[in-house]
Amino acid sequence: MSDMTLWGFDGSTYVRTVKMVLAEKGVTEFKQVQLNVLKGEPKTPEHLQRHPFGKVPVLDHDGMRILETSAITRYLNDVLPGKSLIPPTPRDRARMDMIIGMIDSYGYGALLGGVVAYHLFPEFVGGKSDSMRKGGLQNGRLMIDFAMKTKGSSPFIAGELSLADLYLAPIVFYVSLTPDKEALFDVDGFADWWTKTQALQSYKETQPKLG
C-alpha cells in the first residue's frame, strides 16, 4: 500500500478514524502528509486543489482521489483484506449508518465545537462561549446516550466492531481530556463500550501526540 497517501494531521478525529480503519485492516505502509487544521494549513491553495472546501482527510490511492471520511472508510473497507467493518445484516448496517449520520450532523459540532474547543482550543472557535458549551453538553449527551441505546446489549454500537465505533472513539478521546467528561459519560452502557474501545490495538496505535 505504498501508493497510498493520506492528507491530514493526527489531531483530526476524522483522520484518526481513517487511520483506525487502516490499522484494523493491518495496513502500515502508507504515506501521511500532516496538514494542521488548527493552523489553517488545509486552506492553502495547494490543498484547495485536492478538496474544494479545504477539509481533511483526503486519500489518494491507486490513481484515485477520495474525499470525505464516509467515502474513504467505506472504500478502504471494500478494497483492503481482513474482517469487514461494515455489518453483514441490514439491521446492523442501519444501526451503524444512523450513528455515523448523527455524529456528522449533531455529535461532532456539539462535542468538539461546543465542549472540547471550549476547554482545549478556544482560540480556534473565536474564544470561550458559555452558550456553545452549554449547548454542546446538552446535545453531546443526547448523542452519546442515543449511541449507547442503539448499541443495546451488543458489545459495540452495531453488533461487532464497525465504522460507527471508529467514528465516535476519536471524539470521545478529546472529551475525556476535559472537565466535562463525567457529565457526558454518565450514560448507561458507555463505560463498558469505552473500556472495549480503548483496548483496541487500532485505538492505541493511533492516539495523537498532543503538545
Side-chain angles (χ1 to χ4, degrees):
M1 288 296 165
S2 57
D3 61 341
M4 181 183 292
T5 301
L6 175 64
W7 306 86
F9 81 134
D10 289 340
S12 163
T13 65
Y14 283 122
V15 171
R16 188 177 182 186
T17 293
V18 172
K19 293 184 71 175
M20 287 182 74
V21 171
L22 290 169
E24 287 292 332
K25 293 289 191 171
V27 174
T28 58
E29 294 185 13
F30 63 94
K31 178 182 178 182
Q32 183 177 355
V33 180
Q34 299 278 345
L35 293 175
N36 193 320
V37 173
L38 298 179
K39 295 180 180 179
E41 291 174 353
K43 301 298 184 182
T44 62
E46 182 182 9
H47 189 65
L48 287 170
Q49 292 297 313
R50 300 185 195 101
H51 194 302
F53 296 98
K55 301 293 185 179
V56 295
V58 171
L59 183 77
D60 286 353
H61 178 238
D62 197 22
M64 182 177 182
R65 175 160 292 163
I66 310 168
L67 315 183
E68 299 301 297
T69 306
S70 179
I72 293 169
T73 54
R74 283 166 168 77
Y75 171 82
L76 291 174
N77 184 73
D78 288 345
V79 301
L80 298 178
K83 185 177 179 180
S84 177
L85 295 165
I86 295 177
T89 69
R91 292 174 68 92
D92 286 342
R93 283 197 300 275
R95 288 205 283 173
M96 180 190 78
D97 288 335
M98 272 198 306
I99 298 308
I100 290 174
M102 293 190 76
I103 290 170
D104 285 340
S105 297
Y106 316 111
Y108 182 90
L111 293 168
L112 263 294
V115 176
V116 173
Y118 181 91
H119 294 290
L120 302 185
F121 42 86
E123 66 284 350
F124 186 66
V125 293
K128 290 191 173 184
S129 168
D130 290 332
S131 62
M132 285 185 66
R133 174 174 172 258
K134 182 179 179 181
L137 284 168
Q138 180 179 355
N139 291 330
R141 185 180 170 89
L142 282 174
M143 173 72 250
I144 293 173
D145 182 58
F146 186 80
M148 294 305 109
K149 286 178 178 174
T150 300
K151 180 181 80 69
S153 60
S154 303
F156 290 101
I157 289 172
E160 297 301 317
L161 182 69
S162 77
L163 297 179
D165 304 290
L166 308 189
Y167 267 72
L168 186 57
I171 298 172
V172 168
F173 163 73
Y174 280 116
V175 175
S176 74
L177 304 178
T178 76
D180 288 322
K181 62 181 180 181
E182 291 184 8
L184 289 163
F185 293 171
D186 185 22
V187 168
D188 287 345
F190 176 82
D192 184 57
W193 173 85
W194 188 221
T195 297
K196 286 184 172 68
T197 301
Q198 288 178 288
L200 295 171
Q201 195 63 31
S202 61
Y203 178 88
K204 297 176 182 178
E205 291 176 359
T206 58
Q207 187 158 313
K209 296 178 176 64
L210 303 178

